[in-house]
Amino acid sequence: MKKQTRNQHYIPRFILRNFCTDGKMRVADISGSEARYFLASPESMCFEKDLYETINPDGSYYKRNELEDKFATMEGWLSSQVKEILSDCSVLDFRLDGQRDVSIALLLALQLTRMPRLKQLVAENDKIGIVEKNFLYKAFVDSHEKAVEYITQNGFILPPEMQGKEKTLLDETASFILSNCFFYILSAEQSEEKFMVSDNPVLITPFEDAQYILPICPDFAFGCCRFQTARGNEMEGVVLVDESAVTKINRISCSQAHVTLVSQ
């Protein structure tokens, strides 16, 4: 029998591992009045128990680990894509192509929609019951079809107009980013200051004309900007950033962090 996963990560471990030295990353816990520093493994950070689970009204699990397994499959593909991009982006004349644009857009969308805060916002709606809350969350991040299947099996009947195959929030976010943004790599290879990542990793409109920035490892971050604001170095595929720029981006990471910051 397959072992069920309870510790469900909202930041892929393949990203966290990029910040490790000898299997450990430096972590700053900023939840208290004073920061607390320690070393930790990727497996022990940035997860919540049963984050992606749907609980039936009787307390039982509905298709346990279904969404966790879906995200794990996506991460497996994204991990290989990110590895290839990072291995190639130091090469002269490096360019992002259509396939790599898709992978970056999907990774950004996944990080924007899978965070615990989305589930919390749905849970905080006191005007609807647990079944309706679960329906909304599954429709947002899993699929409308599976959300309809869940709510129907719990005795609810949706009007026909609500039973179509609508796009999820994940799909809509990825589609928006891919249709409106130009993608590039921010490189801190020549900077003494390196990128850090927080438990709220996607920086929204954080730096110059960037729409989103996602630190991937100490030396590199993925960035995208609107087509109309793209400049020459961004259109060339790699933007070199100096110590002051990396420091500015890291400060924004600190300001957006909920509890933890991770560095090498």
Side-chain angles (χ1 to χ4, degrees):
M1 183 176 178
K2 177 181 177 290
K3 183 179 179 180
Q4 304 296 332
T5 301
R6 291 207 66 192
N7 295 346
Q8 299 175 355
H9 288 75
Y10 49 87
I11 299 180
R13 280 166 287 180
F14 75 81
I15 291 180
L16 297 177
R17 290 187 187 110
N18 290 337
F19 292 87
C20 287
T21 300
D22 296 328
K24 299 291 184 180
M25 53 194 185
R26 296 168 58 198
V27 178
D29 183 333
I30 59 172
S31 59
S33 57
E34 294 185 3
R36 184 172 62 92
Y37 301 92
F38 55 94
L39 298 177
S41 68
E43 288 70 28
S44 66
M45 299 301 301
C46 301
F47 71 84
E48 287 194 4
K49 289 192 180 298
D50 293 336
L51 174 60
Y52 306 122
E53 299 305 325
T54 302
I55 308 299
N56 292 311
D58 63 4
S60 62
Y61 288 92
Y62 176 79
K63 295 190 176 181
R64 191 171 184 183
N65 273 189
E66 181 179 55
L67 187 53
E68 165 70 13
D69 291 343
K70 174 182 177 178
F71 286 160
T73 299
M74 293 172 65
E75 286 180 16
W77 182 78
L78 287 168
S79 175
S80 63
Q81 292 294 307
V82 169
K83 185 177 180 179
E84 288 184 9
I85 293 172
L86 294 183
S87 66
D88 292 346
C89 64
S90 296
V91 177
L92 189 65
D93 297 328
F94 169 81
R95 295 289 187 277
L96 289 169
D97 55 24
Q99 180 66 43
R100 289 171 171 177
D101 285 354
V102 169
S103 63
I104 295 175
L106 180 57
L107 179 57
L108 288 168
L110 183 61
Q111 283 309 127
L112 286 166
T113 57
R114 73 186 297 185
M115 300 299 290
R117 184 55 183 154
L118 177 60
K119 193 170 188 179
Q120 291 168 6
L121 287 172
V122 174
E124 288 168 2
N125 186 341
D126 57 7
K127 296 181 180 180
I128 57 177
I130 184 63
V131 174
E132 293 96 327
K133 290 176 182 179
N134 288 337
F135 168 80
L136 284 177
Y137 185 68
K138 289 187 74 65
F140 281 147
V141 300
D142 193 354
S143 76
H144 187 80
E145 183 179 17
K146 290 182 178 179
V148 171
E149 180 183 300
Y150 162 77
I151 203 169
T152 301
Q153 289 190 18
N154 275 279
F156 286 69
I157 299 176
L158 289 176
E161 63 270 18
M162 292 185 64
Q163 296 184 22
K165 294 184 178 180
E166 304 293 334
K167 286 186 175 181
T168 66
L169 181 61
L170 173 60
D171 295 333
E172 293 284 4
T173 304
S175 178
F176 169 82
I177 295 172
L178 194 59
S179 300
N180 292 278
C181 294
F182 189 91
F183 300 89
Y184 53 91
I185 309 295
L186 293 106
S187 172
E189 282 188 297
Q190 299 178 20
S191 167
E192 292 185 7
E193 185 77 12
K194 300 298 181 181
F195 293 119
M196 61 178 62
V197 67
S198 82
D199 58 357
N200 186 24
V202 179
L203 312 184
I204 302 175
T205 316
F207 176 71
E208 296 184 354
D209 56 1
Q211 183 77 19
Y212 304 108
I213 288 177
L214 173 60
I216 294 296
C217 67
D219 280 333
F220 298 108
F222 291 156
C224 66
C225 62
R226 294 294 188 98
F227 289 133
Q228 59 267 34
T229 64
R231 295 177 293 179
N233 55 350
E234 293 159 349
M235 296 177 68
E236 290 173 0
V238 178
V239 177
L240 299 178
V241 287
D242 59 18
E243 284 83 355
S244 63
V246 177
T247 298
K248 180 178 179 181
I249 291 170
N250 285 342
R251 284 175 177 167
I252 298 169
S253 288
C254 292
S255 68
Q256 289 192 185
H258 296 308
V259 176
T260 56
L261 288 159
V262 173
S263 60
Q264 191 173 48

